[in-house]
Amino acid sequence: PPCTLPPPTMSSSRKKLLIGNWKCNGTLDENAKRTDGMIEGLKAVELKNLEVFVAPTMMHLGQVAAKAKGSKLGVCAQNVSANPCGAFTGEVSATQLRDAGIPWAIAGHSERRQSEKMQTFESNKIVALKVAASIDASLSVCVCVGETEAERKENKTTTVIEEQLAAVLPVVEDWSKFAVAYEPLWAIGTGNTATKEQAQEVHAHIRKYVAGAVGEEVAAGLRICYGGSVKPKNSGELIAMKDIDGFLVGGASLKADSYLAIVKSMV
């Protein structure tokens, strides 16, 4: 038989995506040092097929965006309002984020979907409204989905994730501005990480579900990131999986050296 090259994997055409979620961390001084370290470190890395972002607090978005301007480091918001500008105290709208030059936002993070400490219980409907508002304002949005430890033990992982996706997929009008992050709640900030096989299994299911709900072409181009105690020591084996297209990183993004090590494992 003639020699034939294997077909390219679906992931080969998808640009990798890395978002460092700083959560409620950082002072002006700490952010300046961290951002400078990342910008300097990225100069030596050829990113090729990778986009790198950090998500500071709303308070510090302007500071970090100003520092990162013209560099290889992008800036992302940790949250976005489901509402437009108006009488919504404490909110920041998608239009305001775009006006400030912020290109990306996170929506539906587990700490906002269900957090006893924060008393935030965002429904699938609210997350869908945030996605719609973002895309309408030309703001790219990364939607978080994932199951609790109890739901995994009850074999409800795929059911929960499908319900979360079913709410948001119908409102996406521009697929180039949409990404998904799978974050198993039992692996966030716990030190427990899904094995590469566990993560790949869920990512593959997400892609298959999107293919059935929207279409094969959209599914093939959709970037699905993994979030859940990602560190330099496990990022390399995770990113090698066929359906893992990037990461939503927490603690490891608070130090320039560890974040840069994750970057290098992805290029």
Side-chain angles (χ1 to χ4, degrees), residues 38-252:
M38 290 179 181
I39 290 169
E40 191 60 34
L42 286 173
K43 288 179 182 175
V45 183
E46 191 180 343
L47 294 183
K48 299 178 224 172
N49 201 33
L50 169 65
E51 290 181 284
V52 181
F53 294 89
V54 290
T57 70
M58 289 289 187
M59 175 81 184
H60 300 116
L61 272 176
Q63 176 206 13
V64 177
K67 270 194 164 292
K69 192 172 183 179
S71 76
K72 296 177 182 177
L73 185 68
V75 183
C76 170
Q78 294 178 19
N79 187 28
V80 58
S81 180
N83 296 295
C85 295
F88 305 104
T89 301
E91 295 285 279
V92 178
S93 75
T95 304
Q96 289 170 320
L97 289 171
R98 284 304 288 134
D99 183 57
I102 308 302
W104 275 84
I106 298 167
H109 192 281
S110 62
E111 287 160 3
R112 301 202 61 82
R113 283 186 187 266
Q114 45 183 305
S115 172
E116 287 290 341
K117 286 183 180 177
M118 290 169 56
Q119 285 293 296
T120 52
F121 302 99
E122 294 183 358
S123 65
N124 289 338
K125 181 181 178 182
I126 285 288
V127 175
L129 289 170
K130 291 185 174 196
V131 172
S134 298
I135 293 175
D136 188 54
S138 295
L139 181 72
S140 296
V141 61
C142 181
V143 173
C144 301
V145 299
E147 82 283 13
T148 63
E149 186 172 16
E151 287 164 344
R152 173 165 275 270
K153 286 178 179 176
E154 293 168 15
N155 294 316
K156 290 181 179 176
T157 296
T158 54
T159 304
V160 169
I161 290 172
E162 285 178 8
E163 287 173 355
Q164 292 168 339
L165 289 171
V168 300
L169 297 182
V171 306
V172 180
E173 294 181 352
D174 183 348
W175 294 101
S176 70
K177 294 189 176 299
F178 181 75
V180 172
Y182 167 56
E183 42 160 28
L185 274 70
W186 46 272
I188 298 171
T190 61
N192 298 321
T193 309
T195 65
K196 61 183 189 291
E197 293 83 8
Q198 284 175 321
Q200 165 58 25
E201 182 182 15
V202 177
H203 280 235
H205 184 84
I206 290 171
R207 203 174 303 284
K208 182 180 176 183
Y209 178 80
V210 173
V214 185
E216 292 281 353
E217 191 176 347
V218 167
L222 178 65
R223 293 189 285 182
I224 308 172
C225 300
Y226 172 74
S229 298
V230 176
K231 300 177 179 68
K233 69 179 182 183
N234 60 21
S235 58
E237 64 175 23
L238 284 164
I239 200 65
M241 296 291 101
K242 177 184 171 186
D243 291 294
I244 297 180
D245 303 311
F247 301 119
L248 180 59
V249 180

Side-chain angles (χ1 to χ4, degrees), residues 254-267:
L254 292 174
K255 291 184 179 176
D257 57 352
S258 56
Y259 199 51
L260 290 164
I262 292 172
V263 170
K264 289 171 185 173
S265 76
M266 298 175 72
V267 295

